[in-house]
Amino acid sequence: MNYTIETMKDLLMELLPSDMKMQTSVNGVNLIRRETPYEAVPLVYKPEIILMAQGTKNVYLGDKIYTYDKNNYFVVTVPLPVICEAIIKPGEPLLGIVIEIDPKIIGEIITDMNTAPLNRDQISNSLFRAEMSEEIIDAAVRLLKAIKTKDDTEILGPLYVKEIIFKVLRGEHGEFLKELAYNNRNLYQISRVINIINENFSDPLEMQTLAKEAGMSVSAFNNNFRAVTSTSPLQYIKNIRLHRAKELIQIEGEKAYSAASRVGYESSSQFSREYKRLFGITPARDKLDVTATV
């Protein structure tokens, strides 16, 4: 049976009766419903596949714009700070499925596919959009039905997730995920350093040390890092620290000076200036808006 995007939308509306982000019982799968639009807010995308049933998102990275909606799914291969806006019509909430990318699952699928490595070191893109296929819609609907049924979730849910990832790997830009797994040494090394940054962002991070972790000279590391993230390593670290500080202030109720210290800032005044420059508001006046992270 071939399902449609309308079936996907109806199931999401049923599973999400109000404006919310729901973590499902299927590992790494979240469901999203958002009622109101927002313009040009800084966000950090994790490695994930996003399937939309309704609404439109524009993602700005450097001088590029990526638009995804019910006709195009969106894939991010490494954690990326971006600028994002949501276009939502009254009475037509944004609805979507977010699937976290597990490199282990990708490796298993690639092994089963018996795909030969491309053996190239040229870095490709770290995010892309591609046309939503009937096969992906079909697997997404079966995933939502399994979540709704609950009894089927534990067994069938992971199978449908794996099927969706398989379809993405077989899609028009699936080689980017394959490169992340083993084909592109430079992309793999930069991705590994990005993970190190995200795990240790509050520590002093020297460019020479990070370049050594990537097995590159400092200049090569900077060039390859910018090719993946459209920003310099120093700016990336700053953005990650500021986004983490925002979470501490909004969700954990930290004071600005305490949040600054916890994310690695020695100067509270510098932290406040850079926070306002990125988010358009001082940390002391920032308010909770967790739905804007969808």
Side-chain angles (χ1 to χ4, degrees):
M1 179 178 181
N2 290 328
Y3 294 108
T4 67
I5 201 74
E6 287 298 315
T7 308
M8 184 175 160
K9 182 184 78 172
D10 291 342
L11 283 166
L12 283 166
M13 291 284 283
E14 188 174 348
L15 287 163
L16 302 169
S18 60
D19 196 330
M20 63 189 297
K21 180 176 182 179
M22 183 180 86
Q23 183 176 357
T24 74
S25 54
V26 181
N27 188 40
V29 177
N30 295 295
L31 307 182
I32 299 166
R33 174 171 176 162
R34 181 175 174 86
E35 300 286 346
T36 56
Y38 55 83
E39 297 182 1
V41 297
L43 299 176
V44 175
Y45 273 75
K46 297 178 181 178
E48 56 197 16
I49 298 167
I50 305 175
L51 311 177
M52 300 278 279
Q54 189 166 262
T56 301
K57 298 286 286 291
N58 290 325
V59 174
Y60 301 86
L61 182 66
D63 59 355
K64 296 181 180 179
I65 303 175
Y66 300 86
T67 299
Y68 62 99
D69 51 23
K70 67 180 182 180
N71 299 311
N72 299 277
Y73 61 87
F74 190 59
V75 180
V76 185
T77 59
V78 297
L80 281 177
V82 300
I83 300 297
C84 183
E85 66 179 348
I87 301 171
I88 304 171
K89 298 179 181 179
E92 298 181 10
L94 181 148
L95 299 164
I97 305 171
V98 179
I99 299 172
E100 296 175 10
I101 294 176
D102 185 342
K104 180 180 177 182
I105 294 177
I106 294 175
E108 292 173 353
I109 295 173
I110 290 175
T111 300
D112 292 340
M113 290 170 67
N114 196 26
T115 302
L118 299 177
N119 293 321
R120 67 189 186 193
D121 287 336
Q122 180 180 359
I123 286 204
S124 295
N125 212 341
S126 52
L127 70 172
F128 64 88
R129 69 167 194 169
E131 185 176 353
M132 184 84 90
S133 68
E134 292 182 0
E135 293 176 328
I136 290 179
I137 293 172
D138 189 70
V141 169
R142 283 184 277 115
L143 172 61
L144 292 172
K145 283 179 173 288
I147 292 170
K148 179 183 175 184
T149 305
K150 294 184 180 178
D151 290 341
D152 296 340
T153 304
E154 185 175 347
I155 301 300
L156 296 180
L159 296 178
Y160 297 144
V161 168
K162 195 170 184 178
E163 181 181 353
I164 290 170
I165 295 174
F166 170 71
K167 298 300 183 185
V168 171
L169 284 166
R170 290 283 299 272
E172 57 184 300
H173 298 303
E175 70 271 12
F176 295 148
L177 283 183
K178 295 175 188 175
E179 287 175 353
L180 186 62
Y182 58 62
N183 290 329
N184 187 324
R185 181 179 179 274
N186 285 348
L187 179 58
Y188 173 80
Q189 293 297 87
I190 294 297
S191 175
R192 193 168 69 84
V193 173
I194 285 174
N195 287 333
I196 290 172
I197 292 172
N198 277 268
E199 291 171 1
N200 303 278
F201 59 83
S202 61
D203 298 334
L205 296 169
E206 299 292 336
M207 289 305 101
Q208 291 84 352
T209 303
L210 294 176
K212 185 177 180 180
E213 288 285 349
M216 302 174 186
S217 67
V218 173
S219 61
F221 172 66
N222 274 280
N223 290 336
N224 283 306
F225 194 97
R226 187 177 290 275
V228 173
T229 66
S230 294
T231 190
S232 69
L234 288 174
Q235 186 63 48
Y236 182 93
I237 292 168
K238 181 189 295 184
N239 286 344
I240 291 298
R241 285 174 172 169
L242 291 171
H243 278 280
R244 178 53 181 153
K246 187 178 182 70
E247 293 177 2
L248 291 172
I249 291 168
Q250 290 187 332
I251 298 173
E252 299 185 23
E254 287 278 5
K255 299 292 186 182
Y257 70 88
S258 177
S261 176
R262 285 183 61 180
V263 301
Y265 275 86
E266 295 181 0
S267 168
S268 295
S269 59
Q270 180 186 358
F271 168 72
S272 294
R273 287 195 305 272
E274 294 181 351
Y275 192 101
K276 184 176 181 180
R277 188 178 302 126
L278 181 61
F279 298 115
I281 188 172
T282 63
R285 298 187 61 184
D286 206 356
K287 302 297 182 182
L288 180 63
D289 185 15
V290 293
T291 58
T293 62
V294 174

